[in-house]
Structure formats: structure tokens, C-alpha cells
Amino acid sequence: MAKAFLDVEDYLASFDEPVQSLLRQVRDAVLAGMPDSTAKIRYGMPAVMLEGRYGLHFAGWKSHVGLYPVPELSEDLEQQVTPYRSTKDTVKFRYAQPIPFDLIERLAREIAERRPH
């Protein structure tokens, strides 16, 4: 059975360096793109919450970090995200390549802006 994490910090601490640092930077980029959001564990992975509803999940894996769900984005942003899409609503960034934290922040911002207020 998978470990039940107490909070996002507990989840992040379960990874060895340098992955732990990369995941912290992913979390920070998502939080920066979704102002007034909070992070908590949901379905065993970190979820950034907007007004009590999930905005975006992220999870660390053996060779990549995944973001879920990432809807189709505006045309310009979608073109930049497309190389990282693995399925319709999943984006994966491989640890072996530089992770575009600015792109993560921008996609998080667009997702947040689409939320009904």
C-alpha cells in the first residue's frame, strides 16, 4: 500500500535530491500562477486548490514530474506545451531535461483565469 502523506511537505520530502528540489520549484511555479491558492494532498499527490476546488495536481515519478489535468490551452501557450503532452490532459517534464518553470507558471495562470469566480 502506498504511503499516506500528511501534507505536501511530507510528500516532497519523500523524494531524494535533486528531484525534491525540482518538485519544490514546480510547486512554487504552480502557486505563483494561481494566486490565493493553497496546496494539499488529494488522491495521494499534491493538488493546488483554488477557492476550495482543485486547480492542478502534480506528482513526481521515477523519470518525470506530471501535471494533471491540463486542458487545451490558448493557441500560443498550447504550442509551447504540446511537446510535453503525453495524453489529452497530462503534461510530463523529464528530470533529465531542463524543466521550464516559467511555462508551468503560465499554464497554471491560464487555468486559474478560466475558473468561474
Side-chain angles (χ1 to χ4, degrees), residues 33-117:
M34 296 181 163
D36 302 319
S37 61
T38 58
K40 73 175 202 173
I41 295 295
R42 185 170 182 265
Y43 299 119
M45 70 181 85
V48 176
M49 308 296 289
L50 292 165
E51 299 172 4
R53 296 184 55 179
Y54 74 88
L56 195 61
H57 289 84
F58 68 93
W61 300 98
K62 184 177 180 178
S63 62
H64 70 277
V65 58
L67 301 178
Y68 327 89
V70 178
E72 187 172 328
L73 302 162
S74 62
E75 187 176 342
D76 179 55
L77 192 53
E78 186 61 36
Q79 287 178 356
Q80 294 174 55
V81 169
T82 296
Y84 304 103
R85 282 210 185 266
S86 65
T87 63
K88 178 179 162 186
D89 64 353
T90 300
V91 174
K92 293 181 180 178
F93 299 100
R94 303 234 168 257
Y95 300 135
Q97 300 171 350
I99 295 177
F101 301 108
D102 60 326
L103 179 61
I104 293 171
E105 182 177 341
R106 289 196 329 262
L107 75 85
R109 182 174 299 112
E110 184 168 312
I111 291 168
E113 288 172 352
R114 291 181 177 189
R115 301 295 284 199
H117 297 286

